[in-house]
Amino acid sequence: GKFYPSNPMQLKQLIDNVYNTEQDKINKSFYNKNIIGGIVPHAGYVFSAYQAVHFYDNLKNSSSKFDTAIIINPNHSGYGTGRFNTCSYDFWETPFGLLEIDKEFSDLLEIAQYNGAHDYEHSGEVQLPLLQYFYSHPIKIVLITMNQQNKENAEILAQKIDRAVKKTGRNAIIIASSDFSHY
């Protein structure tokens, strides 16, 4: 209820309205292409959804079929341990229903699990209802909160993701949740 409506009908109506407003402005050049990732803003949907729907619409209309969505987000709360954290949950619940955590993939990352890094953080979970709204294929998720954002940690995380993709054989997409700006 903080960053988007907690009522599923109100949430759907909000996304419908935003999408209808933006539909003619969306660059459709990625339709039918294989999308492997994107940088998507996070904030209250009344702000960020107007930009986020551009990525998710292209994803919906792309040739990409993935089974795991890896969502990498910054840490605004300060809760967390080490460089980055995953969570130990089995599911993440949104007004649109449950999304299963890809536990096998998450475990292979060899990243510390700390639920507090996600419980008090909006930037990863704010992507989930948009993913559910636009992407109709069965999908599991991996939420990664970056506690320290720098080039070294980005490279370490990329290597961990690459190893986990190779070991699991998953078709994965990476969604980087970003602030873009605070004004």
Side-chain angles (χ1 to χ4, degrees):
K2 290 183 180 180
F3 290 87
Y4 50 80
S6 59
N7 177 291
M9 297 301 285
Q10 291 173 347
L11 177 56
K12 183 182 179 315
Q13 183 176 3
L14 173 60
I15 298 172
D16 285 344
N17 291 342
V18 169
Y19 184 49
N20 289 335
T21 299
E22 292 297 306
Q23 204 162 22
D24 293 337
K25 301 173 196 169
I26 294 173
N27 176 348
K28 298 169 176 61
S29 65
F30 287 97
Y31 278 22
N32 300 315
K33 299 217 180 194
N34 185 33
I35 297 174
I36 60 170
I39 301 171
V40 186
H42 63 255
Y45 278 12
V46 295
F47 302 108
S48 68
Y50 287 89
Q51 293 76 38
V53 297
H54 291 249
F55 169 76
Y56 287 108
D57 177 67
N58 272 280
L59 184 63
K60 176 179 101 174
N61 290 291
S62 75
S63 60
S64 301
K65 301 293 180 263
F66 55 90
D67 42 41
T68 299
I70 303 161
I71 300 169
I72 304 169
N73 59 269
N75 183 331
H76 292 91
S77 68
Y79 293 101
T81 61
R83 298 173 193 250
F84 4 76
N85 294 118
T86 59
C87 62
S88 65
Y89 301 127
D90 294 325
F91 296 91
W92 201 271
E93 184 175 12
T94 79
F96 292 150
L98 297 176
L99 280 166
E100 185 177 356
I101 301 290
D102 189 333
K103 299 292 281 179
E104 178 187 11
F105 192 97
S106 189
D107 289 345
L108 286 171
L109 291 171
E110 298 179 349
I111 292 174
Q113 294 180 346
Y114 183 70
N115 294 339
H118 301 277
D119 293 346
Y120 304 103
E121 181 56 54
H122 65 279
S123 58
E125 66 89 10
V126 79
Q127 303 299 333
L128 302 180
L130 290 165
L131 190 58
Q132 289 171 301
Y133 178 93
F134 283 96
Y135 197 75
S136 60
H137 302 284
I139 168 183
K140 293 182 181 180
I141 59 168
V142 175
L143 291 169
I144 302 170
T145 294
M146 286 191 75
N147 300 322
Q148 302 167 17
Q149 298 174 56
N150 56 45
K151 184 178 184 226
E152 177 186 0
N153 288 343
E155 289 172 350
I156 291 168
L157 184 56
Q159 291 169 0
K160 289 177 175 289
I161 291 170
D162 183 58
R163 278 194 304 270
V165 165
K166 287 175 179 168
K167 285 182 181 179
T168 61
R170 297 283 196 278
N171 291 324
I173 187 163
I174 296 175
I175 300 171
S177 185
S178 174
D179 285 306
F180 285 164
S181 116
H182 280 107
Y183 58 87

